[in-house]
Amino acid sequence: MTRILLAWQPLPAPQGTSFYPHDLSEPEAVVALFRAASRFRAHVTAQGWRFLWANYDLAGLLELNRQAGWFDSTDDREAAEQLIHRARVEGFDPVSGQLRGDFERNDQILELV
């Protein structure tokens, strides 16, 4: 799994930056990635979301989000819903832990918070 692309950002040009498991094992790298994603300058893949949820869980991702200022850091419930939604849009469902295609809203996400 060490060569699976987990995230990407277009800077520095022209090749951009690719993120792999060893990169996102460092919380500081995730904070930087979330900051870039908040400005639509980074993309986390379905495999990337699976890795992040497995390694940081909800509490850890909420803390990294607070540091990055991506989603509303004053409302953990809202931030959690956004993190879950972003993962699902990319094809990873944190509730079931499965990689899939499109997801419908599931009331189970509220049980995570």
Side-chain angles (χ1 to χ4, degrees), residues 9-80:
Q9 67 182 43
L11 299 174
Q15 285 106 358
T17 303
S18 297
F19 295 89
Y20 298 97
H22 66 276
D23 301 309
L24 297 185
S25 293
E26 299 295 327
E28 299 81 19
V30 179
V31 170
L33 177 66
F34 281 6
R35 281 188 186 131
S38 75
R39 295 183 311 274
F40 302 103
R41 301 209 184 274
H43 175 80
V44 182
T45 67
Q47 291 283 355
W49 281 112
R50 181 166 73 171
F51 177 87
L52 291 172
W53 281 93
N55 285 280
Y56 296 102
D57 68 38
L58 179 59
L61 289 175
L62 287 171
E63 177 56 33
L64 295 171
N65 175 67
R66 274 191 283 281
Q67 293 175 35
W70 188 5
F71 301 115
D72 185 356
S73 58
T74 62
D75 184 350
D76 280 352
R77 184 180 195 93
E78 178 64 27

